[in-house]
Amino acid sequence: MRIEFKDVSVSYDELHALAGFNLTVGSGESVAIIGPSGCGKSTMLRLAAGLTAPSSGVVLADGEPITHPRQEVALILQDYGLLPWKSVLANAELGLRIRRMSRKLARERAMAALQQVGLAPFARMRPKELSGGMQQRLALARSIALESQVLLMDEPLSALDALLREDLQDLLLETWLERHHTQILVTHSIEEAVFLGQRIFVMAPRPGRVVAQIDNPRVGEAGYRSSQEFFDRCTQVRDALHEGGAR
Ligand code: ADP
């Protein structure tokens, strides 16, 4: 599914959270968005998720205006959005049950998704009994179970320590390589953006806008994270962030 932002502005009274924002994410593409706090990254995801309406301009999914949340589009937030009183399995099933899938089929699909993220042995536990990294895996399992065509992620790994974070980045990459869904990842981490984004968009605030686009075609290639090119790309993104901030 292709997501397009066409000349989109979002204003809250005097504040221009986004102004003249243009971005097209092709079907099956993985892009990363990076920028300082307040530059409109979350607003941009909420537009794509159908949770916020633009003040002007239009946001399209496969050419159709996004006017409400849709089944094909999953948003993963930093707090995972898990229901603490339900089991891991019930949380993984949740989206399917909301969509009125039969209990049996929902259970099968949810178990398969839990298997994929390595959580099948914990299906009967409550989210609270899981570590932060496992809770994040569960949030991912939920969107895998839904077979979402678009995965929107707002700082999904920021609560995790460095090593765990790399594991989860690997899982996100594997999942994307396998499913080739459309993916928009908002992150504060330069390395994460370079590891996961085929294109990296650098944003700046007041008004929120894109100030640089960096192509990163080697995403997904074996050994990329430890290559010279990876480090060079990180430097390029860092420079673009500094330049954007200075403007
Ligand atoms: P980011 O995710 O990059 O930190 P946001 O999209 O959350 O940026 O916010 C962009 C700007 O819009 C910020 O200045 C924020 O304070 C403001 N903003 C976001 N949501 C609202 C709201 N519901 N009402 C008023 N201002 C908001």
Side-chain angles (χ1 to χ4, degrees):
M1 180 169 268
R2 185 177 76 251
I3 302 288
E4 285 169 278
F5 298 79
K6 287 192 164 170
D7 210 19
V8 170
S9 299
V10 175
S11 302
Y12 301 105
D13 298 322
E14 298 289 281
L15 184 113
H16 300 296
L18 286 177
F21 185 81
N22 286 289
L23 176 67
T24 299
V25 185
S27 188
E29 194 182 9
S30 173
V31 305
I33 313 281
I34 192 165
S37 291
C39 69
K41 303 184 296 296
S42 303
T43 300
M44 184 226 138
L45 286 188
R46 291 177 57 82
L47 286 164
L51 297 171
T52 296
S55 311
S56 67
V58 64
V59 188
L60 305 169
D62 278 348
E64 281 185 31
I66 299 174
T67 51
H68 55 84
R70 17 193 324 163
Q71 176 168 345
E72 304 88 343
V73 181
L75 175 63
I76 299 187
L77 301 168
Q78 200 180 335
D79 65 4
Y80 321 126
L82 303 174
L83 301 180
W85 63 89
K86 289 199 176 276
S87 71
V88 165
L89 179 59
N91 269 284
E93 281 176 359
L94 193 66
L96 299 172
R97 295 292 293 156
I98 289 171
R99 271 142 217 178
R100 301 184 184 285
M101 182 179 280
S102 77
R103 181 171 293 275
K104 182 165 175 290
L105 196 55
R107 185 136 297 189
E108 276 171 24
R109 287 251 298 259
M111 269 315 280
L114 288 176
Q115 203 105 40
Q116 199 173 334
V117 303
L119 282 184
F122 307 96
R124 289 171 162 281
M125 290 190 174
R126 309 276 151 199
K128 215 170 46 192
E129 298 173 82
L130 305 181
S131 68
M134 289 159 88
Q135 291 184 31
Q136 189 57 61
R137 280 172 196 267
L138 176 52
L140 181 63
R142 185 149 72 186
S143 68
I144 291 174
L146 279 171
E147 296 178 350
S148 312
Q149 295 179 43
V150 181
L151 196 49
L152 309 169
M153 291 177 285
D154 198 352
E155 290 281 335
L157 310 181
S158 59
L160 308 177
D161 65 55
L163 276 182
L164 199 55
R165 196 167 172 150
E166 289 203 356
D167 283 351
L168 266 288
Q169 288 166 359
D170 287 336
L171 179 64
L172 286 180
L173 183 68
E174 275 167 30
T175 308
W176 175 72
L177 287 171
E178 209 174 284
R179 299 180 66 237
H180 262 289
H181 50 273
T182 308
Q183 179 155 282
I184 306 180
L185 171 73
V186 161
T187 179
H188 274 118
S189 158
I190 293 171
E191 285 77 14
E192 195 162 290
V194 174
F195 187 63
L196 289 164
Q198 295 174 297
R199 286 186 294 152
I200 300 156
F201 295 89
V202 178
M203 292 182 65
R206 285 179 292 278
R209 66 209 189 280
V210 173
V211 289
Q213 175 190 324
I214 293 160
D215 289 334
N216 186 33
R218 287 196 53 201
V219 160
E221 285 182 22
Y224 183 41
R225 182 149 44 195
S226 46
S227 71
Q228 183 59 43
E229 196 178 336
F230 183 87
F231 291 103
D232 292 347
R233 195 78 73 216
C234 288
T235 305
Q236 198 183 347
V237 173
R238 192 170 293 110
D239 291 348
L241 273 167
H242 282 300
E243 241 176 75
R247 251 175 238 179

